[in-house]
Amino acid sequence: MLNHRLCLAALLIPCAGVAGAADLPPAAAFFNEPSLHMAVLSPHGRYVATLNARASGGQVLAIVDTADPGKITAPVEAKGGDRIFSIHWINENRIGFSMKEARIAFSGNGNADEFAVNRDGTELTRLISGDWDWHQDVTGSSIRDRTLTADYTFSSTTHDGSDDIIVQKLIFNNVDAYAQSSHLLRLNTKTRMLSELRTGADPANVYQWMRDADGIPVLALSRIKGRCVIAYRPREAPAWKDIANTDCYDGQAMEPQFFDANGTLTVSATHEGHSALFTYDLKTLQLAKQPYLSIAGFDFDGHPERDLPSKKVLGIHFNSDANTTVWFDPKFKQWQADIDAALPATSNSLSCGDDCLNASVLLVRAESDRQPARSYLYTVASKTLLALGSSHPAIVPSQMGLRDFHHFAARDGMSIPVYVTLPPGKASAPRPAVVLVHGGPNVRGSSWEWEAEAQFLATRGYVVIQPEFRGSTGFGTKHFKAGWKQWGLGMQDDLADAAAWAVKQGWADPKRVAIMGASYGGYATLMGLIKHPEVFRCGVEWAGVSDITLMFTSGQSDATRDSLAYDMKTLIGDPDTDAALFAQNSPLQMAARLRQPLLMAHGMDDHRVPLEHAVKFRDAVRATNKQIEWITYADEGHGWRHVETQLDFWQRVEAFLDKNLKNAP
């Protein structure tokens, strides 16, 4: 039997829930900045770093001594609009963090600031400068002037005990907004000296590097004119050699995942219609005949837990309908069982730093459909759990709705995965419902774990239906390819069919169903109201596409030339040969047919779906529909990054749905 101890409260927003069981949780409980953003164990497990939101505003990076948890230091604070979004241990004494000013969208493309600092707050060093003016008073410390420019970005730590990290030098083509290729370098975080990891010419258009178990880059992944290329260079080889060159979308491309202690490469590749894990022999360039991990009904999406000194793979974390882990190591199997017995209401994920086989403590992330992520320290010797905090401490699980994974049959018979979140409490009759459409669209939308948007709507009394419509990834090649060139067609019908299925289950009131979503979900909202007015009586869209052709022609878009010429033509269609298809399925061309109430919102700095999409549709639909609510947000891009925006938007959503769905005649 494990013992429990109370959570740490020093430096942090209180860990216990602050809402009474009878109170409806406010929007801030869901959409305020997470109280505990992340927790990361140091390489040898002597410390755990947590990123926390202060009740008074800003963030604090806290270091907890795992041998003496009452001993907490705070080497860094972020104030004002500065936000730390990643923390990573460099060695047992030094920690790195990535920062961005919230007014400026982080693109992951060379515009973040990178720092390193000792645990005690000394030797704070600015390593990379993003594309904004640094305010020295953010940390209250003097920072050395010499830094790398914005065409560098953090890649990974070295895991060798040194003060070094790995950075990428981004290579641009002076046309696209995103880097065309990259080059790996080693950077000392104290001296700021750069050194090469490997000499010689790199392959072209490298978007991802993979290092072997000793940290040497031996694989380079590129995308060139719709082809996915893997280049390999053994340590003794003078040059790179292509070992795979396939159409990125033919379903046969393999994706390198990780190396094991023997230097064997694990890749994901298609097996019976879904991606699974195989070993791949780099000497014979042969894929194993059978996978060693295959998840029925799901593509592999996960990562290994490794002991770095021995280079042994201990287990693999992956996502099926929910997050889970398969352990190969018997000690970790037992620890998982002990922790699951102590925390039976949650799915519990374990991590162990670098020196896992000698671990004295483990880091536990516990979450469920009704409980936001909580972090614990598990002490192996005493079998005790110490709570570090919750991402959203004001959320009371008993106030949340039950969330589950289902499948329904679309009108053509295709089986469509769907997550449904039912409002808390027993229903005496069908309830109003919202079909919440994920963006992408060629991504996976959801998982079973607590989700702020779905639970916010559920606590307001709505059944939340989240279809993984055809074209979504994660559910096999057939499901993915069924969505090609299906904007407004099969992909759209799946959403109406999801609503009809929920009505048939007795959950949803057929006369009170709304549709809402962002980006592609915004497009689907507009098309749903136009194409299926008998199903959807109102809608909410933000950052939504209104004209398919405009995605290819807008001068404000950040789409790259390769994406326009290959990816988008494959997945969406060709603006020349499919012009009629685009016109028939673009909401802008049919704006006069949209008669239901609609809430529209857009960021004024959106370069993925530029503001002109929203403005053109607003102007067109207002000519025949006076039930349009319109809001734009300054300093927002493709999605909301400011807490103030989140709160304002979701409070507007609540009021809009109350008026036009829940309380509508």
Side-chain angles (χ1 to χ4, degrees):
M1 179 64 68
L2 285 79
N3 299 314
H4 294 268
R5 293 173 61 186
L6 297 177
C7 66
L8 300 172
L11 300 174
L12 318 181
I13 288 177
C15 300
V18 297
D23 301 327
L24 187 68
F30 298 84
F31 301 109
N32 264 349
E33 191 166 341
S35 296
L36 185 73
H37 287 240
M38 61 192 79
V40 185
L41 205 59
S42 66
H44 297 289
R46 297 173 192 150
Y47 309 95
V48 61
T50 64
L51 184 60
N52 312 280
R54 279 194 178 278
S56 57
Q59 297 173 314
V60 58
L61 174 60
I63 309 293
V64 179
D65 188 325
T66 59
D68 182 8
K71 186 178 179 182
I72 305 173
T73 58
V76 171
E77 291 186 56
K79 301 176 182 178
D82 305 313
R83 289 294 179 270
I84 297 170
F85 62 87
S86 176
I87 53 179
H88 26 269
W89 286 94
I90 297 167
N91 54 47
E92 208 68 13
N93 182 58
R94 195 155 173 80
I95 190 165
F97 60 96
S98 306
M99 180 182 281
K100 195 71 209 159
E101 212 283 341
R103 289 184 300 104
I104 302 170
F106 171 58
S107 69
N109 197 48
N111 69 339
D113 291 82
E114 184 68 24
F115 298 86
V117 66
N118 292 339
R119 281 187 296 103
D120 60 4
T122 60
E123 295 193 79
L124 176 66
T125 310
R126 186 184 184 195
L127 304 170
I128 301 173
S129 170
D131 58 358
W132 57 285
D133 292 329
W134 173 254
H135 303 289
Q136 187 164 301
D137 62 352
V138 169
T139 61
S141 301
S142 176
I143 299 169
R144 303 174 189 177
D145 293 331
R146 181 165 53 88
T147 60
L148 295 176
T149 51
D151 52 346
Y152 288 84
T153 186
F154 171 80
S155 176
S156 68
T157 53
T158 59
H159 301 286
D160 61 4
S162 71
D163 292 320
D164 295 357
I165 61 172
I166 307 299
V167 296
Q168 289 187 89
K169 173 71 167 69
L170 302 179
I171 301 164
F172 294 85
N173 58 22
N174 297 320
V175 175
D176 296 324
Y178 291 90
Q180 180 173 310
S181 192
S182 67
H183 176 72
L184 288 187
L185 294 152
R186 190 176 179 112
L187 174 68
N188 185 285
T189 63
K190 290 186 175 180
T191 66
R192 287 187 291 194
M193 294 296 294
L194 281 170
S195 57
E196 293 284 354
L197 282 170
R198 299 199 75 171
T199 58
D202 292 338
N205 293 29
V206 179
Y207 70 89
Q208 182 181 341
W209 296 90
M210 181 168 288
R211 295 181 293 141
D212 65 15
D214 293 318
I216 305 300
V218 294
L219 291 174
L221 281 62
S222 303
R223 292 174 72 95
I224 304 172
K225 296 183 177 180
R227 308 286 295 180
C228 282
V229 182
I230 303 173
Y232 174 51
R233 183 185 170 191
R235 294 192 189 192
E236 66 279 2
W240 295 87
K241 178 182 179 181
D242 290 354
I243 60 172
N245 188 321
T246 58
D247 186 301
C248 292
Y249 295 111
D250 69 357
Q252 302 304 311
M254 67 177 184
E255 184 175 351
Q257 297 289 333
F258 54 85
F259 287 92
D260 68 10
N262 301 317
T264 301
L265 175 66
T266 285
V267 303
S268 58
T270 301
H271 172 70
E272 297 180 351
H274 294 77
S275 70
L277 291 187
F278 293 78
T279 57
Y280 183 83
D281 191 324
L282 284 167
K283 293 181 179 178
T284 63
L285 304 183
Q286 292 294 314
L287 190 72
K289 292 183 178 180
Q290 293 296 323
Y292 70 85
L293 179 61
S294 179
I295 308 144
F298 298 89
D299 294 319
F300 174 77
D301 177 18
H303 64 278
E305 193 72 31
R306 289 181 288 188
D307 175 72
L308 294 187
S310 69
K311 306 180 181 66
K312 182 180 179 182
V313 176
L314 306 174
I316 296 176
H317 307 287
F318 63 90
N319 187 237
S320 54
D321 59 326
N323 292 321
T324 190
T325 304
V326 57
W327 291 108
F328 309 132
D329 184 88
K331 286 197 305 184
F332 278 84
K333 282 184 182 179
Q334 185 59 55
W335 289 336
Q336 181 79 61
D338 290 344
I339 291 167
D340 288 347
L343 301 172
T346 52
S347 172
N348 308 303
S349 179
L350 318 183
S351 57
C352 50
D354 290 353
D355 194 8
C356 292
L357 292 178
N358 295 312
S360 59
V361 296
L362 303 174
L363 188 62
V364 181
R365 178 185 173 95
E367 56 191 333
S368 75
D369 58 338
R370 298 195 294 168
Q371 178 184 292
R374 293 178 180 172
S375 294
Y376 296 84
L377 275 179
Y378 172 71
T379 302
V380 171
S382 61
K383 295 187 176 182
T384 56
L385 282 166
L386 172 69
L388 297 172
S390 169
S391 60
H392 293 82
I395 293 296
V396 179
S398 61
Q399 294 180 322
M400 300 294 106
L402 287 174
R403 182 171 171 85
D404 216 339
F405 181 69
H406 307 268
H407 287 83
F408 68 89
R411 63 190 64 188
D412 64 354
M414 176 169 278
S415 179
I416 306 296
V418 59
Y419 286 90
V420 177
T421 307
L422 298 175
K426 188 175 181 180
S428 58
R431 295 186 268 202
V434 174
V435 175
L436 183 58
V437 189
H438 71 71
N442 307 113
V443 298
R444 177 167 171 172
S446 297
S447 186
W448 172 75
E449 294 74 26
W450 186 87
E451 186 176 299
E453 293 86 352
Q455 287 290 4
F456 176 74
L457 294 169
T459 60
R460 271 57 190 167
Y462 301 105
V463 175
V464 183
I465 307 158
Q466 295 175 274
E468 299 286 354
F469 47 84
R470 67 191 69 201
S472 302
T473 58
F475 302 95
T477 302
K478 180 181 177 181
H479 191 80
F480 171 45
K481 287 189 172 183
W484 291 10
K485 297 188 179 184
Q486 289 295 301
W487 284 48
L489 301 172
M491 293 167 73
Q492 195 69 45
D493 292 340
D494 288 347
L495 308 179
D497 293 347
W501 167 79
V503 168
K504 189 176 180 180
Q505 305 308 305
W507 298 328
D509 181 345
K511 295 184 178 180
R512 291 188 295 167
V513 180
I515 185 169
M516 65 184 292
S519 193
Y520 172 81
Y523 163 86
T525 295
L526 299 178
M527 278 300 295
L529 295 172
I530 292 167
K531 187 175 183 180
H532 298 114
E534 76 286 357
V535 177
F536 303 114
R537 68 174 301 159
C538 64
V540 179
E541 74 86 16
W542 63 110
V545 172
S546 68
D547 183 16
I548 301 176
T549 302
L550 192 58
M551 298 173 66
F552 290 83
T553 60
S554 174
Q556 303 172 40
S557 171
D558 63 0
T560 65
R561 291 177 302 172
D562 256 27
S563 178
L564 291 167
Y566 301 101
D567 304 83
M568 292 171 63
K569 283 185 178 181
T570 298
L571 301 174
I572 302 171
D574 188 307
D576 296 322
T577 60
D578 296 315
L581 186 70
F582 284 10
Q584 293 166 11
N585 294 288
S586 287
L588 184 61
Q589 310 302 319
M590 298 174 284
R593 291 170 52 185
L594 197 157
R595 301 290 180 152
Q596 306 97 308
L598 172 66
L599 172 60
M600 300 180 68
H602 218 94
M604 296 183 71
D605 194 33
D606 190 341
H607 295 288
R608 180 58 47 86
V609 180
L611 183 62
E612 59 183 312
H613 278 269
V615 170
K616 287 183 176 181
F617 190 83
R618 177 203 63 187
D619 293 347
V621 75
R622 274 183 172 171
T624 54
N625 187 343
K626 304 304 179 186
Q627 302 181 85
I628 306 300
E629 296 185 27
W630 166 264
I631 180 67
T632 55
Y633 294 105
D635 295 330
E636 292 289 6
H638 194 58
W640 317 140
R641 55 182 179 264
H642 295 280
V643 170
E644 297 80 9
T645 303
Q646 291 270 27
L647 296 178
D648 180 80
F649 174 73
W650 285 101
Q651 287 165 355
R652 288 174 184 265
V653 169
E654 182 176 10
F656 176 87
L657 293 177
D658 278 350
K659 174 185 175 182
N660 297 294
L661 189 66
K662 183 187 294 183
N663 300 320

